[in-house]
Amino acid sequence: MSDSHLNVQLSPLGDSAVMLRLGSTITEETHRRVMALIARLEARPFAGLLECVPSFAAIAVHYDPFLVKKSRIGTELQHTTIYDTVCSRIQSLLSMEQLSNGSRKSRTVEIPVCYGEELGPDLDFVAEHNGLAEEEVIAIHARGTYLVYMIGFAPGFPYLGGMSGRIAAPRLQTPRTIIPQGSVGIAGEQTGVYPIATPGGWQLIGRTPLQLFQPQASIPSLLSPGDSVRFKPISREQYELYREGV
Amino acid sequence: MSINVIKSGLFATVQDLGRHGSQKYGVSVGGVMDTGAARAANLLVGNKESEAVIEMTLAGTELWLEKDTLIAVCGADITATAGGERLPLWRPVLVREGVTVTFGVCRSGCRTYVAVAGGLDVPDLLGSKSTYLRGAFGGFEGRALKTGDVLRVKNEGQLSDRIKQSLLAKGNGSFAAAGWHASHFAIAAHLSDPVIRVLTGSHYPLFTVESQQSLFSQTFQISVQSDRMGCRLEGSRKLKLSSPVELLSEAVAVGTVQVPPDGNPIVLLADRQTTGGYPRIANVASVDIPVFAQLKPGDRFRFEAITQQEAEQLLVESERDIQILKAAVSLKF
């Protein structure tokens, strides 16, 4: 992958972060470039790099200005700003020959979902809205393969792409004050899973017994950007068994 | 050693310097709102500056100390008493066993920090002891402190012990305080109509010329709907985009000034979400973030634009002040 292929625009995000923008639309191609660049940044972290936060078409690189300043060498000592030093360190990573691309294999994570009834109170609305039977909504939702573009909004909350427009549904007029942990919902042409209980306006079609967020784990989120997700329908009985840890 | 929460007060949590490295999993950074005050409080009791402290909002907290305890109270200009006597701020204080420390009203400022020699003993989660209320984890049981809570304290280090010994020699009242202080870190003294310095953000050019001007010409007021996630601002002139834009959600930083469609800016603070989709008109310079920790609803301020170089320079200078305090404490004891 050449530098021109990455085509990255750098701009300051305050005095302790730089935003790397790779596009302005949500496409799998842009997503792959974001993931390739973040792999490169994390494989060769420059002195002072704190963390990289990917989104649909950009990466925020947070840095410690003092560590960057203290670690300046050679021509970096002539830079007017610490930001200039950070940019030149990122540019040198961008211009490098392609690093091995196999640093992180894309995973497919299967998420069991008990659809409908009290765990998915809006399934009937989504079906009626699209002129489908409830079973058809479940079949369409469970047939898809979804790409985790980014995690945001709440701990472990995946922004998933790839839902069929045939089961799209508008948000609730009045958001619920509490959406239970594990709820699987639809908003517009997006689908998602709520890792923690939070207020929200999505149409709820089911619930997973899986824990998507566990702060005690070293990697607290079940899903990471770049993962593929599939939903697997389970019965209420299987849902309860999962919950009991069987 | 432990600290008993006799009264929780309005809102108090355990915080350290934040949870870094997990934002890509949607985990907020969190941590103390006034980093200067919290770092100074820790250094004054001989701790590492990153130890967990109690962050109190406004008034009403009461703590009972089981044993002789070295503490420092920094942040808002608050009326604090120990055993009924006025407790001085911004310095090491040895409070005697069985004494109750009471926090009254803030004459100026909004958030007060109590550092305890050794540091608060709460579990590390994802590399931090900070309370994250929305996720209900971290800090003390993932929640705000309640009346009746008992906070354990870690064993103090050698520097803390030396400070403690020197104060033990100073009489037998409810407490003994050092004769010097570090109140030059107090921003509460400069809160009348402060000027907040910002860098213009990447979406600044998308706003109308009038909005670009009124960002700096008008006075903003802190809304009552402000909390640890962010400060909502109210101004007489709303900030408007030149034309509607669809922006993709992307990562934010502390101090990012977002403008939702209602035209009232929001300054994102410690417990901010990791990503946001509103246009960013500016980003507050890191050196001025603690001012938002101390401004109260109804307080007013203005924004002023500075350059990247100026923001970095101010930050380097404020860091130097912390390093000087650190060196001074270890030299003195």
Side-chain angles (χ1 to χ4, degrees), chain B:
Chain B
M1 222 312 276
S2 60
I3 298 175
N4 295 45
V5 181
I6 303 290
K7 277 189 196 160
S8 62
L10 199 61
F11 178 70
T13 55
V14 172
Q15 301 289 346
D16 62 10
L17 296 181
R19 190 167 274 117
H20 299 274
S22 297
Q23 290 190 83
K24 64 178 161 190
Y25 301 122
V27 180
S28 298
V29 172
V32 292
M33 295 275 281
D34 184 345
T35 47
R39 291 170 81 189
N42 269 322
L43 292 174
L44 288 167
V45 295
N47 285 351
K48 282 187 303 191
E49 59 200 275
S50 55
E51 288 293 346
V53 298
I54 300 174
E55 179 182 277
M56 300 179 297
T57 305
L58 294 169
T61 306
E62 237 175 80
L63 307 171
W64 181 82
L65 304 172
E66 186 199 15
K67 294 204 171 127
D68 287 358
T69 308
L70 180 64
I71 67 167
V73 179
C74 299
D77 186 9
I78 196 166
T79 314
T81 58
E85 290 175 68
R86 187 66 171 275
L87 188 87
L89 314 178
W90 295 97
R91 70 192 78 202
V93 183
L94 179 70
V95 181
R96 294 308 189 130
E97 67 175 39
V99 169
T100 299
V101 182
T102 304
F103 297 92
V105 293
C106 296
R107 279 162 303 198
S108 167
C110 183
R111 290 185 172 88
T112 307
Y113 297 88
V114 181
V116 187
L120 299 174
D121 189 9
V122 297
D124 245 5
L125 277 178
L126 300 170
S128 168
K129 296 181 165 64
S130 290
T131 311
Y132 180 42
L133 285 181
R134 214 164 153 251
F137 69 88
F140 188 83
E141 298 181 358
R143 58 168 172 80
L145 295 180
K146 286 199 281 214
T147 298
D149 285 344
V150 179
L151 296 168
R152 286 189 310 169
V153 178
K154 295 190 285 181
N155 289 335
E156 57 204 31
Q158 290 179 354
L159 179 57
S160 300
D161 194 51
R162 289 203 296 277
I163 301 172
K164 200 168 164 180
Q165 293 308 324
S166 81
L167 293 174
L168 269 174
K170 290 187 73 172
N172 294 314
S174 298
F175 63 85
W180 53 278
H181 56 83
S183 58
H184 54 288
F185 287 100
I187 45 180
H190 317 286
L191 285 179
S192 63
D193 303 322
V195 173
I196 303 278
R197 293 159 290 193
V198 298
L199 299 161
T200 53
S202 46
H203 301 138
Y204 179 76
L206 302 180
F207 286 83
T208 63
V209 174
E210 299 77 52
S211 294
Q212 292 177 3
Q213 286 166 349
S214 49
L215 178 66
F216 299 110
S217 60
Q218 71 178 324
T219 299
F220 287 100
Q221 185 171 319
I222 308 282
S223 149
V224 287
Q225 290 172 49
S226 301
D227 57 18
R228 284 180 43 86
M229 279 179 79
C231 263
R232 288 171 184 273
L233 310 181
E234 289 160 355
S236 51
R237 279 159 288 160
K238 307 301 171 202
L239 306 180
K240 294 291 173 202
L241 293 166
S242 311
S243 56
V245 282
E246 272 302 309
L247 296 167
L248 299 180
S249 271
E250 56 183 23
V252 296
V254 64
T256 297
V257 186
Q258 286 195 333
V259 184
D262 69 4
N264 293 316
I266 301 171
V267 182
L268 302 179
L269 298 170
D271 283 351
R272 65 194 176 277
Q273 294 179 6
T274 54
T275 56
Y278 294 131
R280 300 106 190 264
I281 196 167
N283 214 99
V284 175
S286 297
V287 71
D288 282 345
I289 295 291
V291 183
F292 283 103
Q294 299 299 353
L295 289 173
K296 288 193 286 275
D299 284 348
R300 294 162 178 282
F301 69 92
R302 277 190 317 106
F303 283 125
E304 179 186 280
I306 58 172
T307 65
Q308 193 83 24
Q309 196 179 0
E310 288 167 327
E312 291 175 355
Q313 188 58 35
L314 289 163
L315 192 55
V316 168
E317 282 164 18
S318 75
E319 184 64 21
R320 194 175 299 140
D321 291 343
I322 287 277
Q323 296 309 325
I324 289 170
L325 175 64
K326 193 174 185 172
V329 172
S330 61
L331 274 177
K332 247 181 235 287
F333 299 97

Side-chain angles (χ1 to χ4, degrees), chain A residues 80-188:
Chain A
T80 321
T81 61
I82 296 168
Y83 173 73
D84 288 343
T85 305
V86 170
C87 287
S88 93
R89 290 181 184 181
I90 291 170
Q91 291 293 359
S92 70
L93 272 178
L94 291 176
S95 59
M96 278 169 56
E97 289 298 303
Q98 186 187 3
L99 301 172
S100 76
N101 215 2
S103 56
R104 196 180 165 282
K105 279 265 189 304
S106 156
R107 305 178 308 162
T108 299
V109 180
E110 190 177 77
I111 297 182
V113 180
C114 177
Y115 287 97
E117 303 194 7
E118 66 178 304
L119 301 183
D122 304 323
L123 179 65
D124 55 350
F125 173 83
V126 174
E128 201 180 304
H129 180 78
N130 290 290
L132 298 168
E134 291 185 14
E135 292 70 28
E136 290 174 294
V137 174
I138 296 171
I140 293 167
H141 191 258
R143 193 184 300 145
T145 301
Y146 303 88
L147 174 63
V148 180
Y149 277 100
M150 59 185 277
I151 307 282
F153 168 67
F157 185 91
Y159 284 82
L160 298 174
M163 195 184 80
S164 165
R166 291 173 61 203
I167 54 173
R171 281 164 201 266
L172 295 180
Q173 292 286 332
T174 311
R176 288 186 172 89
T177 52
I178 199 79
I179 287 185
Q181 175 185 322
S183 293
V184 176
I186 288 176

